[in-house]
Amino acid sequence: MLLPGQRLGFWKFVGNPNAKRGFLEGVVLDEGTLRPGVGGGLCQLTNLIYWMTLHTPLTVVQRWRHTYDVFPDNARTQPFASGATCAYPALDLQIENRTDAAYRLSLSVGQTHLVGAWSSDRAPAQAYRIYEAMHVITNDAPAIYMRSNIIRRKVLNLEGVEIGDELVTENHAQMM
């Protein structure tokens, strides 16, 4: 439960992802190279939590983006860099509840998908639509392509009328 005024820190909640604590080996992106590592793949979880949080009135106070764009465009379902990477203990995802309502984070791991939801003790007062703006790919050096964009969110009232448009983040990453 994330009560009004509280902060959720991913690493404070999860702890050190080591083998002694039961974490398994997964894929880690390290300086642009994929390698096996204990706790690898946890950024899939922070990606999900971050994406879900952008659709709530909760405030992301710390988020790190990947320095490399590793996902192909042909199956992309979300804007580039709309996730959040993590690396224990420094690269953390932190979320504050600056509302006057309590929120509960629910997560489960299925055979092929992570499933999550934020729920609240109050009905939503608005909805959010996340979108990408100013998407650019540049060739900065031989065989070095950089991708940049801005992630924004439209705030909609319950009738679907736009009542705000907010900057979420600006992203830059080398394409793999």
Side-chain angles (χ1 to χ4, degrees):
M1 185 71 69
L2 190 60
L3 299 174
Q6 287 185 323
R7 180 183 285 203
L8 168 71
F10 181 76
W11 289 126
K12 185 174 181 184
F13 181 73
V14 171
N16 186 352
N18 58 49
K20 286 185 211 172
R21 296 188 55 238
F23 285 83
L24 302 175
E25 201 167 83
V27 178
V28 174
L29 179 61
D30 184 14
E31 298 295 323
T33 302
L34 295 173
R35 64 170 179 78
V38 173
L42 281 172
C43 62
Q44 292 179 51
L45 187 54
T46 54
N47 285 341
L48 175 63
I49 295 169
Y50 178 68
W51 182 252
M52 292 185 319
T53 302
L54 293 181
H55 293 83
T56 73
L58 298 173
T59 303
V60 176
V61 293
Q62 187 177 122
R63 172 260 186 181
W64 298 87
R65 63 175 161 68
H66 292 86
T67 53
Y68 292 89
D69 179 22
V70 298
F71 301 105
D73 283 341
N74 64 342
R76 200 179 291 255
T77 59
Q78 293 175 208
F80 152 68
S82 57
T85 192
C86 62
Y88 185 83
L91 304 184
D92 199 7
L93 174 64
Q94 295 188 14
I95 299 159
E96 274 185 2
N97 184 352
R98 297 179 181 171
T99 75
D100 60 358
Y103 281 81
R104 179 182 306 268
L105 178 61
S106 304
L107 299 165
S108 64
V109 180
Q111 289 296 319
T112 59
H113 291 83
L114 296 171
V115 178
W118 279 110
S119 57
S120 177
D121 59 352
R122 298 235 180 98
Q126 51 205 21
Y128 304 90
R129 187 174 65 79
I130 312 308
Y131 70 99
E132 175 182 56
M134 298 177 61
H135 181 233
V136 176
I137 297 173
T138 58
N139 183 206
D140 292 1
I144 303 291
Y145 292 89
M146 299 298 293
R147 175 175 243 152
S148 300
N149 76 353
I150 292 175
I151 303 292
R152 300 189 63 86
R153 74 178 185 172
K154 292 189 181 291
V155 183
L156 311 169
N157 68 17
L158 296 181
E159 290 77 39
V161 175
E162 183 179 328
I163 57 174
D165 191 315
E166 304 169 342
L167 173 67
V168 174
T169 191
E170 187 174 326
N171 299 294
H172 307 281
Q174 183 176 337
M175 296 176 73
M176 299 285 293

